[in-house]
Amino acid sequence: MTATNVLDWIVALFVCWASLTAIIEPRRDASQCDGPTVASSAQQAPLAAPTPAEFEEMIRDMKLHD
């Protein structure tokens, strides 16, 4: 194994570790965002389930993009 190959593996492992860490760890500064927050006691309506026609349309769109 050459030194370049070992260095490539080390860099690849570091990039994978950094990516997984960014995905898994919650943002520590998420509660300190600059935007105003609205505290509402009103319940949000649950999302409506898609109709069979909407499902077929989504599937058709996915097939068109392939």
Side-chain angles (χ1 to χ4, degrees):
M1 203 180 258
T2 63
T4 305
N5 197 9
V6 172
L7 183 61
D8 288 344
W9 273 102
I10 291 171
V11 170
L13 289 173
F14 178 72
V15 169
C16 289
W17 172 78
S19 299
L20 288 174
T21 302
I23 291 169
I24 294 172
E25 279 190 10
R27 290 184 50 193
R28 287 185 172 82
D29 62 343
S31 63
Q32 300 173 355
C33 62
D34 294 334
T37 56
V38 177
S40 174
S41 61
Q43 297 243 344
Q44 291 182 347
L47 296 175
T51 64
E54 290 173 330
F55 271 125
E56 289 182 19
E57 182 181 354
M58 286 187 278
I59 292 171
R60 193 175 343 116
D61 288 344
M62 285 187 247
K63 287 180 180 178
L64 288 175
H65 291 292
D66 285 342

